[in-house]
Amino acid sequence: MSAEAVIQIRNLSKIYRDFWGRKKVRALNSLSLEVYRGEVFGLLGPNGSGKTTTMKLLLGLLFPTEGEISILGKSATDVSKNERIGYLPEESYLYRFLNANETLDFYGRLFNMSGETRRKRTEELIEMVGLQHARRRQLKEYSKGMTRRIGLAQALINDPDLVLLDEPTSGLDPQGSRDMKDLIMRLKSQGKTVIMSSHLLADVQDVCDRIAILYGGELKELGRVDELLKERNVSQMQTSSISDACLDEVKAVLAKHNVEFHKVDHPTNSLEELFLKTVERSQQRPGQRYVPESEAAKGGTAS
Amino acid sequence: MLAISLQPEEFDLALGVQRWLIVFGTVLLVSLLVSLMASLATYGGTGPARLFGRLGYAACDFMSLSPRRIFAVALLTFREAVRRKALLVFVVFAVLFMFASWFLTGNSERPEQDIEVYVGFVFTTISWLVLLVGGVLSCFGLPEDIRLRSLHTVVTKPVRRNEIVLGRMLGFGSVCTLILVLMGIVGQIWIVRQSQGLTLSCRVPIYGVLKFLDRTGAETSKGLNVGDIVETRGFIEGGTKGAAVFQFRLPKSQPELLRFESRFEAFRTHKGSMDRTIQARYVLSNEEKGLRVPLEKFNVAEFSQNERDVERKISYTNEKTLKKEEVDLYNDLAQDGWLTVHVQCLDRGQYLGASRGDFFVRELPDRSFSAGYWKAMVGVWLMVVLLVMIAVTASCFVKGPVACLLCFCVFVLGQPAHDFMDKLVTGKQVGGGATESLYRLVSQANQTTPLDNQMMERTLKTIDRLPSGSLWIAKHLIPDMRTFSMAAWVGKGLDVPWYSAMLPSLAVALGYILPCVLLGYFSLSLRELESK
């Protein structure tokens, strides 16, 4: 990973005030962090921890009370930085009276793209997010998942260097979620920098290189995911299935070296993996359905 | 009466620009000073540097405007309005026009008044409907965008805030233009159908400069007042040397035939002759050459037009030599292209009232009705565009309902209240300013007579004069919406004049573009779109 920082945040604080200028809430307190080129960076935290505020400060939708932000070498309020940024908002904030083609054409125009470039890019993105069948339907007729996908397409219309994704997998089914994560990894492989905020910790763990955990507007943890999750005082080894006798011998060896034995069991798949396997199987063998064991014993078969 | 509502006043563009610069400059300077103080209070010593940095950034934003982005926002706005069924306003329009003829009854004795009624109805209906649609759409467009956070996906692209403001103005302006053009076409067809059997034309008036001569023939600034409260007309005494002197700039094309058209008002001090109305005559003169060419006397038609055709070659009897002579209108009578016409009342003891709008030279041939109709429609369009600009600007810093209220106030203040502000600023308001009026109200003093206590009156007037500067600014900040009303010209069968109607309305609309865009830009730039 290159050490070039695309985002530098120094002592960033944000206080929301009421109409009379009185302090309402301190959403962010002295946040300092850096995000490097080519990494996938995760912002984690419970509701009200300040991650969305951080995102909006980065985008210039909010102004900092204190501190400084440098994004791609420019100030957060400098509009020209947006030339190289893509943003997927938390909810679908797109214009619901436009269809997919018009939506991408509109955002393409905002980047001063020529007509031909816009048409080409629209085709690529609509195909990428799998909305060919619904390209002429108004967005108000879209499901939540479809809306997220067209939202993602608009975020990538300018082939950005830095992509900010606010809750990218929210509202997506597991397949959509998988696709989104694959896309994030693809963006990373293209050398792009991705910043995402999410409540779904498994998603963050799957794709992020580094994370920052916020709580109460303050930075509580920052570092590489694998480093942060590593338990240094516990060891784990994986073998093929072992017999009871072998297990007893292993325990004896461990006791001889004064190592405390905790547990031994069989690893399980994640629910996501099970779900995706099931969906894949269903697509390969349509019509097959689940038959309870009791019925199968009576002679029932899966059809 | 025709003339009271149509008093053409030449628009002084240079003076208009000068006033615009004074008002705009003053507001700009005050805003800068307030911003400077605010920046000092907020950021201390670094405040001014931040402020000027921000102003520099703003200048860059204006230098790097992108037509494509502005067009994108305008197209989005247009689509939004159309898909949100803004064009349903045509249903209301159609219903009004389907049943309008039931209520607009004709006058068989004076059919030309019917056209006036039809034109008035069409223009009033179209103006209000388009203003309503344009105002509501423009007031709620941006605030809804901010509320639904759709604007977040726009401002996170390389779009300048001034591009958003301009795009919105252009978009809503286009929607209103489309509605206005369609309604205008339907309105014209409707007028033509309703006016079957009547001649629809558009006379082209050349208005003159008016001055008066008193009963001794000496020049005076205005005519006699016969007791009218509104001093629109000056009166001349009959059977004396008193005259209303009109000077017309003749057309350069030098047509063979000119038509004098007038509608004077008579004031009688005695019954006079029962079998005719008051008599008057035109006298064409060239003082340099000592020429006085009286035309035939005519009976003043008080409730309709007096028309008199004047040919290029005029035969007349010289008053001094009593010989028949012939003069050329352009070579002998006109002086540097200007023709002087004296209007004299011939009946002793009777009076003739004249104003600038009462007498004009009609250029022949007439123009088509469509020419005047669409010129007046341009006036409505400029008013709608101005309202859209103000509404979009207001929506940059307040929510939709508040922006609506603000526009409504501007519209009301710009119509009847503008006249009131005018009088307050110029000190012509009967009963004085706020303090004097209050004093008169409490002391139950008559509004029209001087106060008994002259010292008190002087003091009150001085107090009232104190805020006159800011009132002058306020008067010029609020657009004079009356400028855009041109339907009366069309209703009277006249062409809409360029210098006294089209140019001032265009100047007023243009004068608001830069201030509106600047205010909208700074409001949107300094505003946190996500503020809680």
Side-chain angles (χ1 to χ4, degrees):
Chain A
M1 184 192 304
S2 160
E4 185 194 348
V6 289
I7 291 177
Q8 288 176 304
I9 299 174
R10 297 267 174 276
N11 294 319
L12 188 66
S13 296
K14 177 65 191 173
I15 297 171
Y16 289 112
R17 297 181 188 277
D18 65 9
F19 180 79
W20 307 106
R22 292 174 302 191
K23 183 177 162 184
K24 230 164 66 174
V25 63
R26 179 179 278 272
L28 216 53
N29 190 16
S30 296
L31 175 70
S32 294
L33 57 86
E34 288 184 341
V35 178
Y36 303 108
R37 181 174 300 282
E39 74 173 343
V40 180
F41 188 87
L43 277 172
L44 292 179
N47 289 339
S49 59
K51 51 189 192 305
T52 300
T53 298
T54 308
M55 281 275 202
K56 285 169 181 167
L57 284 163
L58 287 173
L59 289 161
L61 294 171
L62 291 173
F63 306 140
T65 309
E66 278 171 28
E68 285 171 14
I69 303 171
S70 165
I71 180 163
L72 295 164
K74 292 177 177 171
S75 157
T77 51
D78 188 341
V79 174
S80 64
K81 75 174 191 309
N82 295 342
E83 297 274 4
R84 296 164 60 199
I85 291 179
Y87 169 55
L88 173 69
E90 184 180 352
E91 299 276 333
S92 175
Y93 299 145
L94 304 178
Y95 292 95
R96 292 163 56 80
F97 53 86
L98 297 178
N99 64 34
N101 274 350
E102 289 167 346
T103 300
L104 296 184
D105 185 70
F106 167 63
Y107 289 108
R109 279 178 201 269
L110 298 185
F111 282 98
N112 251 339
M113 289 179 180
S114 68
E116 198 183 331
T117 314
R118 288 199 309 272
R119 272 190 295 279
K120 195 175 153 208
R121 195 77 186 126
T122 300
E123 286 300 323
E124 283 172 10
L125 288 167
I126 284 188
E127 196 181 325
M128 187 193 88
V129 296
L131 285 173
Q132 298 96 315
H133 61 289
R135 61 194 309 159
R136 298 205 187 281
R137 277 163 57 190
Q138 288 188 17
L139 301 196
K140 65 183 173 193
E141 296 170 9
Y142 275 23
S143 68
K144 194 168 183 184
M146 290 163 84
T147 315
R148 293 301 284 165
R149 282 189 274 163
I150 190 67
L152 180 69
Q154 69 80 27
L156 300 177
I157 188 83
N158 57 327
D159 193 18
D161 293 334
L162 171 65
V163 187
L164 288 99
L165 307 171
D166 202 354
E167 302 286 353
T169 52
S170 109
L172 294 179
D173 60 21
Q175 183 63 56
S177 185
R178 180 75 260 164
D179 291 345
M180 179 68 82
K181 286 188 278 189
D182 288 347
L183 179 85
I184 293 170
M185 295 315 288
R186 201 154 71 230
L187 291 172
K188 176 182 157 64
S189 69
Q190 290 167 5
K192 301 188 188 304
T193 312
V194 179
I195 299 179
M196 61 181 279
S197 75
S198 182
H199 289 292
L200 303 170
L201 305 181
D203 291 345
V204 175
Q205 189 178 349
D206 284 348
V207 295
C208 287
D209 298 313
R210 289 198 308 140
I211 56 167
I213 300 176
L214 301 173
Y215 184 83
E218 291 180 341
L219 182 64
K220 299 295 181 186
E221 201 70 72
L222 175 70
R224 291 193 58 81
V225 177
D226 46 8
E227 289 293 321
L228 290 172
L229 295 181
K230 188 179 283 179
E231 283 199 54
R232 295 192 182 280
N233 52 353
V234 177
S235 296
Q236 183 181 316
M237 53 193 269
Q238 283 195 332
T239 66
S240 57
S241 189
I242 56 173
S243 63
D244 290 345
C246 176
L247 180 62
D248 290 340
E249 280 183 37
V250 170
K251 281 181 181 173
V253 172
L254 292 174
K256 186 179 159 189
H257 291 279
N258 292 325
V259 176
E260 193 181 338
F261 177 79
H262 289 165
K263 66 171 182 177
V264 61
D265 58 14
H266 296 282
T268 57
N269 285 330
S270 71
L271 191 55
E272 184 190 359
E273 282 171 320
L274 172 66
F275 179 87
L276 291 174
K277 274 183 191 169
T278 309
V279 171
E280 194 181 344
R281 208 165 48 233
S282 301
Q283 285 168 344
Q284 286 166 356
R285 300 171 65 184
Q288 187 184 43
R289 65 184 176 84
Y290 170 75
V291 179
E293 280 183 17
S294 54
E295 280 187 30
K298 288 177 195 168
T301 54
S303 59
Chain B
M1 288 294 289
L2 163 93
I4 285 181
S5 56
L6 293 178
Q7 292 302 325
E9 283 178 33
E10 296 292 309
F11 177 68
D12 189 341
L13 186 62
L15 183 68
V17 172
Q18 187 191 341
R19 281 186 181 167
W20 183 86
L21 286 172
I22 292 172
V23 175
F24 183 62
T26 310
V27 173
L28 217 56
L29 202 65
V30 170
S31 309
L32 193 65
L33 285 174
V34 170
S35 309
L36 203 60
M37 283 190 282
S39 68
L40 276 168
T42 314
Y43 301 107
T46 60
R50 277 172 180 255
L51 175 68
F52 288 111
R54 187 70 193 78
L55 289 177
Y57 186 76
C60 289
D61 272 358
F62 276 90
M63 301 282 274
S64 48
L65 278 175
S66 154
R68 187 175 274 153
R69 282 196 287 261
I70 295 172
F71 178 72
V73 178
L75 185 66
L76 175 88
T77 308
F78 189 86
R79 279 184 174 144
E80 182 180 18
V82 171
R83 291 185 186 169
R84 287 189 174 160
K85 316 232 176 347
L87 300 185
L88 275 180
V89 68
F90 282 110
V91 176
V92 182
F93 182 70
V95 170
L96 282 170
F97 272 75
M98 277 161 68
F99 301 106
S101 53
W102 290 8
F103 304 100
L104 301 173
T105 51
N107 182 343
S108 55
E109 286 180 10
R110 302 182 64 193
E112 75 274 7
Q113 279 192 344
D114 288 355
I115 298 172
E116 207 176 331
V117 172
Y118 299 143
V119 169
F121 170 74
V122 166
F123 274 88
T124 308
T125 310
I126 292 177
S127 305
W128 281 105
L129 283 177
V130 182
L131 282 173
L132 192 72
V133 172
V136 170
L137 281 176
S138 317
C139 285
F140 283 91
L142 262 177
E144 273 299 285
D145 241 17
I146 294 169
R147 189 181 69 81
L148 297 172
R149 295 175 173 166
S150 308
L151 198 63
H152 291 17
T153 58
V154 176
V155 297
T156 49
K157 305 285 183 284
V159 182
R160 271 82 186 167
R161 305 291 161 106
N162 45 3
E163 290 167 344
I164 295 173
V165 175
L166 279 168
R168 282 282 170 185
M169 286 177 178
L170 204 63
F172 288 126
S174 308
V175 175
C176 292
T177 306
L178 176 70
I179 296 173
L180 190 71
V181 168
L182 294 177
M183 284 185 178
I185 292 170
V186 175
Q188 190 182 359
I189 294 169
W190 186 83
I191 292 172
V192 172
R193 278 175 61 92
Q194 292 296 118
S195 317
Q196 275 173 355
L198 298 172
T199 314
L200 287 174
S201 65
C202 187
R203 292 169 290 147
V204 185
I206 301 171
Y207 290 99
V209 180
L210 173 62
K211 60 185 180 184
F212 287 91
L213 301 181
D214 67 12
R215 67 198 318 271
T216 63
E219 205 170 296
T220 61
S221 59
K222 55 182 184 177
L224 297 169
N225 187 343
V226 294
D228 287 345
I229 295 173
V230 182
E231 286 189 90
T232 312
R233 290 193 172 80
F235 282 77
I236 49 173
E237 195 179 337
T240 66
K241 288 182 180 174
V245 184
F246 289 85
Q247 286 181 304
F248 300 102
R249 175 168 279 287
L250 293 176
K252 284 183 180 162
S253 57
Q254 300 196 345
E256 291 298 311
L257 187 74
L258 288 179
R259 184 169 292 168
F260 287 179
E261 207 165 301
S262 62
R263 184 178 274 197
F264 298 116
E265 189 178 311
F267 179 78
R268 293 174 174 77
T269 56
H270 58 87
K271 201 185 289 176
S273 176
M274 293 294 286
D275 56 350
R276 64 166 174 80
T277 60
I278 288 174
Q279 286 192 321
R281 71 169 180 176
Y282 301 121
V283 179
L284 315 183
S285 72
N286 183 333
E287 286 179 15
E288 213 172 59
K289 294 181 179 173
L291 276 174
R292 272 180 64 84
V293 181
L295 302 182
E296 275 177 36
K297 62 186 175 186
F298 60 93
N299 294 330
V300 175
E302 291 174 56
F303 301 103
S304 60
Q305 246 85 260
N306 303 290
E307 290 185 0
R308 172 82 163 82
D309 285 346
V310 181
E311 291 179 355
R312 181 175 184 143
K313 300 285 182 193
I314 305 167
S315 296
Y316 76 107
T317 308
N318 191 314
E319 287 173 339
K320 290 175 187 166
T321 61
L322 297 176
K323 284 182 183 169
K324 280 267 182 191
E325 289 179 10
E326 190 181 77
V327 285
D328 185 281
L329 191 67
Y330 300 101
N331 297 330
D332 301 323
L333 287 169
Q335 234 176 302
D336 301 327
W338 287 83
L339 177 69
T340 306
V341 182
H342 292 242
V343 180
Q344 291 177 320
C345 177
L346 301 178
D347 289 323
R348 188 168 291 278
Q350 312 288 40
Y351 293 80
L352 195 70
S355 67
R356 185 166 178 254
D358 285 347
F359 179 30
F360 58 83
V361 173
R362 181 168 155 192
E363 211 177 327
L364 294 171
D366 292 337
R367 288 191 187 147
S368 71
F369 173 75
S370 302
Y373 178 84
W374 284 102
K375 274 187 185 174
M377 208 50 91
V378 168
V380 178
W381 178 73
L382 288 170
M383 178 163 62
V384 173
V385 167
L386 177 61
L387 188 83
V388 164
M389 285 195 296
I390 293 171
V392 170
T393 308
S395 69
C396 288
F397 55 87
V398 286
K399 290 186 176 170
V402 187
C404 268
L405 187 68
L406 195 83
C407 286
F408 179 74
C409 290
V410 168
F411 196 71
V412 169
L413 284 172
Q415 292 266 7
H418 220 277
D419 193 38
F420 177 66
M421 283 194 291
D422 257 342
K423 285 180 179 168
L424 274 182
V425 171
T426 52
K428 288 179 183 168
Q429 179 60 31
V430 178
T435 326
E436 189 183 333
S437 289
L438 185 68
Y439 178 80
R440 285 175 184 272
L441 206 66
V442 173
S443 61
Q444 297 188 334
N446 193 316
Q447 296 284 306
T448 54
T449 53
L451 290 174
D452 295 336
N453 186 341
Q454 288 189 358
M455 183 69 182
M456 173 63 81
E457 188 168 357
R458 270 202 297 275
T459 311
L460 292 172
K461 281 194 189 303
T462 310
I463 294 170
D464 280 336
R465 259 198 299 275
L466 289 178
S468 62
S470 51
L471 197 64
W472 188 85
I473 298 274
K475 181 196 144 210
H476 285 87
L477 282 179
I478 294 165
D480 188 350
M481 293 291 183
R482 297 168 303 173
T483 319
F484 302 104
S485 305
M486 301 175 199
W489 299 94
V490 189
K492 304 284 183 194
L494 293 169
D495 187 31
V496 180
W498 168 252
Y499 281 106
S500 50
M502 297 289 288
L503 182 62
S505 56
L506 190 65
V508 170
L510 285 175
Y512 279 85
I513 293 179
L514 185 60
C516 281
V517 173
L518 275 179
L519 184 59
Y521 166 74
F522 280 109
S523 304
L524 213 53
S525 300
L526 302 175
R527 177 178 179 175
E528 284 189 320
L529 295 175
E530 257 301 321
S531 189
K532 291 186 179 175

